[in-house]
Amino acid sequence: MTQEELIPLILNKDERAFTLLYDMYSKSLFSVISNLLKETEDAEDTLQEVFVKIWKSIDSYSASKGRLYTWMLNIARNSAIDKLRSKGFNNSKKNLSDENFVNLLEDSNNQNNRIDTIGILEFVKKLKPKCVQIIELLFFQGYTQQEASDELEIPLGTVKTHNRNCINDLRTYLKV
């Protein structure tokens, strides 16, 4: 089933459509979420919340503004960032056991593998080094534009401009 065939079914709240939607997109959305949250359990919980948000807010999706996948990807990424910034999440991570430190090290070694599972890494690597750096911070590590500005020690406006230009370059590579 194509995305164009799926959208009307979702808008009509067809339960089969939810299953198809999940089957088509859950792996790639999970990769993005787990890349930000690191812990599998947190990523799984967030993925479930993301699909509920998608299902409840599908009426706000507009094909004229972009692809369904892009819209869902933004929901997933924003949900993961919201989870990272939540007070409860931060408090739960303050007292980590030594087992968690081993998992954190292993997870950081697998970051490229998780990014590559959605196929975007090869395209990001084609960008200018500054673009790779900005996309890494903003999209794969969950930094805000202000945090990226501070980290890179460049003005916020420059980060915004580079981000916009880099995303346009990435779109060009993805269209080829």
Side-chain angles (χ1 to χ4, degrees):
M1 177 171 284
T2 67
Q3 180 177 305
E4 289 75 25
E5 297 168 330
L6 183 61
I7 293 171
L9 295 174
I10 297 169
L11 289 169
N12 289 329
K13 303 294 184 189
D14 184 321
E15 289 182 25
R16 293 175 298 140
F18 183 81
T19 302
L20 289 169
L21 184 73
Y22 187 85
D23 290 345
M24 289 172 69
Y25 297 106
S26 62
K27 287 181 183 176
S28 60
L29 294 179
F30 180 77
S31 294
V32 170
I33 293 167
S34 64
N35 188 47
L36 289 168
L37 296 180
K38 309 296 184 223
E39 303 252 348
T40 303
E41 188 176 315
D42 293 330
E44 288 170 347
D45 290 345
T46 303
L47 179 66
Q48 184 176 358
E49 292 167 11
V50 164
F51 272 96
V52 170
K53 284 180 187 177
I54 290 168
W55 190 251
K56 287 183 175 180
S57 62
I58 191 66
D59 295 332
S60 69
Y61 168 70
S62 172
S64 65
K65 292 182 181 176
R67 294 178 35 220
L68 177 65
Y69 177 72
T70 306
W71 179 77
M72 293 189 320
L73 188 62
N74 283 329
I75 291 173
R77 184 177 167 277
N78 291 340
S79 295
I81 291 170
D82 289 346
K83 178 87 166 188
L84 277 173
R85 293 182 182 158
S86 72
K87 186 176 181 179
F89 182 81
N90 289 325
N91 286 340
S92 72
K93 301 303 174 203
K94 284 185 180 174
N95 295 319
L96 294 174
S97 70
D98 56 349
E99 182 181 314
N100 285 327
F101 288 108
V102 172
N103 291 338
L104 290 174
L105 290 173
E106 289 172 358
D107 284 350
S108 67
N109 291 335
N110 291 329
Q111 179 178 7
N112 285 339
N113 292 338
R114 281 197 305 273
I115 294 168
D116 197 39
T117 60
I118 61 173
I120 198 86
L121 185 60
E122 72 179 79
F123 295 105
V124 171
K125 285 183 176 179
K126 292 180 181 179
L127 299 173
K128 295 176 262 180
K130 185 57 94 176
C131 286
V132 172
Q133 194 175 29
I134 287 176
I135 288 175
E136 170 74 25
L137 291 175
L138 296 176
F139 293 94
F140 298 131
Q141 293 185 22
Y143 280 49
T144 64
Q145 290 180 339
Q146 182 61 57
E147 291 167 340
S149 168
D150 295 342
E151 177 75 20
L152 299 172
E153 298 177 349
I154 58 176
L156 177 60
T158 303
V159 169
K160 290 179 179 186
T161 301
H162 282 316
N163 182 37
R164 183 176 55 252
N165 293 339
C166 294
I167 294 301
N168 287 334
D169 291 347
L170 189 56
R171 282 187 186 124
T172 302
Y173 286 128
L174 291 172
K175 287 180 182 176
V176 175

